[in-house]
Amino acid sequence: MEQIQTVKIHDLEYETTYTAHIQKNGDGWMGWIQEHPKVKCEDTTKEALLKTLEQTLYETLETDWEAWDKQLEEDIKAGKLDKLADKALEDLRAGKCSDL
């Protein structure tokens, strides 16, 4: 195997830059995103690998956000955030809040 290279992948939708680690592996290429351990890919060329990593990262981010949104909705329906909302309203009424 050859030395590991790092490549920055900028996600425009989430305005975040991720670090891809890529490496030639025999006849192909393998890579992963350091910030998202779920994102690991292999492809035949370096260029194809980078496209695959970018697409897999995007799909992973979307899946994670959908799961987060679903969990938040379930927590709201179950009343798990009621105490936080009550505290925020209490602080607002007490004048402890300011405009951003």
Side-chain angles (χ1 to χ4, degrees):
M1 277 192 211
E2 294 186 19
Q3 186 173 352
I4 296 173
Q5 303 170 31
T6 58
V7 178
K8 297 295 181 185
I9 296 177
H10 185 71
D11 179 52
L12 294 174
E13 184 170 347
Y14 295 102
E15 289 298 318
T16 306
T17 300
Y18 298 92
T19 304
H21 294 273
I22 61 173
Q23 184 176 34
K24 181 127 175 74
N25 184 18
D27 292 336
W29 284 79
M30 58 187 253
W32 60 96
I33 304 291
Q34 180 175 333
E35 297 87 351
H36 276 276
K38 298 178 203 173
V39 180
K40 297 177 183 176
C41 304
E42 293 185 28
D43 220 313
T44 55
T45 66
K46 181 178 178 179
E47 293 76 20
L49 173 64
L50 291 173
K51 286 180 184 176
T52 301
L53 279 169
E54 189 172 346
Q55 181 62 34
T56 303
L57 173 63
Y58 176 78
E59 290 169 0
T60 301
L61 291 172
E62 285 295 310
T63 299
D64 287 352
W65 274 107
E66 287 171 10
W68 188 88
D69 283 345
K70 181 179 178 188
Q71 184 63 56
L72 181 61
E73 287 177 20
E74 290 173 4
D75 289 349
I76 290 169
K77 287 178 185 174
K80 292 182 179 181
L81 303 176
D82 290 352
K83 287 182 182 179
L84 293 173
D86 292 343
K87 176 69 173 138
L89 289 172
E90 179 183 314
D91 288 347
L92 179 65
R93 290 182 188 115
K96 295 180 181 179
C97 300
S98 59
D99 290 336
L100 295 178

